[in-house]
Amino acid sequence: MKSSGSARKSEMMLKAAQRLFAEAGYEGVSMDLVAKTAGVSKATLYAHFESKEKLFAEILEAENGRIEDGDWIPERFEGDAEGVLRRFARGMASFFVDGRGLAVYRLFVTDLHRFPELVARFHAAGPLAMRSRVARLLAQMGERGALAIDDPTVAADHLIALVQGRLPFDRSIGLPPPSDAEIERHVESAVRFFLRGYAPRNPTDRR
Amino acid sequence: MKSSGSARKSEMMLKAAQRLFAEAGYEGVSMDLVAKTAGVSKATLYAHFESKEKLFAEILEAENGRIEDGDWIPERFEGDAEGVLRRFARGMASFFVDGRGLAVYRLFVTDLHRFPELVARFHAAGPLAMRSRVARLLAQMGERGALAIDDPTVAADHLIALVQGRLPFDRSIGLPPPSDAEIERHVESAVRFFLRGYAPRNPTDRR
DNA sequence: GTCTATATGAGGATAGAC
DNA sequence: GTCTATCCTCATATAGAC
């Protein structure tokens, strides 16, 4: 059962690296620390990952790729637009205050420029994929007359910008997390504003 | 005239550090490089700045404090709201694509968390000061009936979020700068959306 | 104040035994 | 594959002469 122990160690290393990089970024984590946290020696770590850069890129790609996992972007529009948008916005806010969104945001801004060959791919798989999914949702709302959506991609940019706001920025610079009440006010204000801008010109004009 | 030479060197060191830190961040710049760029020895550099952290904090405070210098946030509202907002948005966009805004944004996200005792002060002197100034402008527009502004601070958050969008984020991760046409489309779309949301309910109701 | 030379330590990566 | 021990580079910071 040697290979089983090996597989377990491999997983330990990945999990340790994932957590540490998300917390402290590329420069903030040493290979010594990753090895120690995973309970292996540095040589073992290097036997599995040829360099710190490769390890980091692998971790970041995994985190970034799971950006669509969140259940906070509905696949299809069902129900009332305001309720759907409010739930979406709440999910997005916590995603960028506490969750993977914050970690990926920080890793992108802090360290991605070190890997020029990855930038375009990761950008497409992360932020752009998220926008596409939001745009699809908004397009459905537009088709049903719940919103007056001209260009769904542009509208998605607007919605994301409003809901995201300064949340990940403020968290990244070290400000304490906003309270639930503050998040709720932020979300509420963003959604109401978005609805003002994209309300259907004639609310009764539904097909 | 020894003190004159000394003052010149002091300035050289500050200018070098300012440029280098803005380009490469705290970790990306060594004291060796700062000294070499400034044309002095490392010992001289340390005679003027007791540590790299102190030097960095001094540079960042100066850059951040000049955030209000830009002529792109008018002190007073004069003319038509749409034109003022469009000029403001163009100025802000280039501030965050090329200018000091981009540099400060990156330094904040990348390195400010290393100086917990500075976070609150720098946040107030930078992002919050900018928002205050935008809020004052919007409040004036509201008072004159050019916009329907309920809470100027909230409206400023919305406007900044829309205009800033992903510009500094995309630039920070290493994407190429958007073309002038792309910036113009972005700005135009943000301003039009903002105006839709904050248009006066009754445009003729001016005092 | 300013220089050259150096102390000191951290961290990425590898050698060699098992 | 995994370990211990080590190499090597680089970066902060300082000693000591002028």
Side-chain angles (χ1 to χ4, degrees), chain A residues 172-194:
Chain A
S172 296
I173 71 177
L175 287 175
S179 68
D180 287 354
E182 283 167 335
I183 293 180
E184 187 58 27
R185 269 198 302 278
H186 170 77
V187 158
E188 187 58 28
S189 143
V191 168
R192 280 221 312 274
F193 175 50
F194 182 79

Side-chain angles (χ1 to χ4, degrees), chain A residues 14 21 26 31 48-61 115 117-118:
Chain A
L14 277 170
F21 279 137
Y26 185 81
M31 291 297 262
H48 286 247
F49 306 95
E50 97 184 45
S51 71
K52 185 183 178 184
E53 295 207 344
K54 286 278 167 67
L55 173 60
F56 180 81
E58 195 162 319
I59 297 293
L60 184 53
E61 180 159 29
F115 307 87
E117 73 283 3
L118 301 180

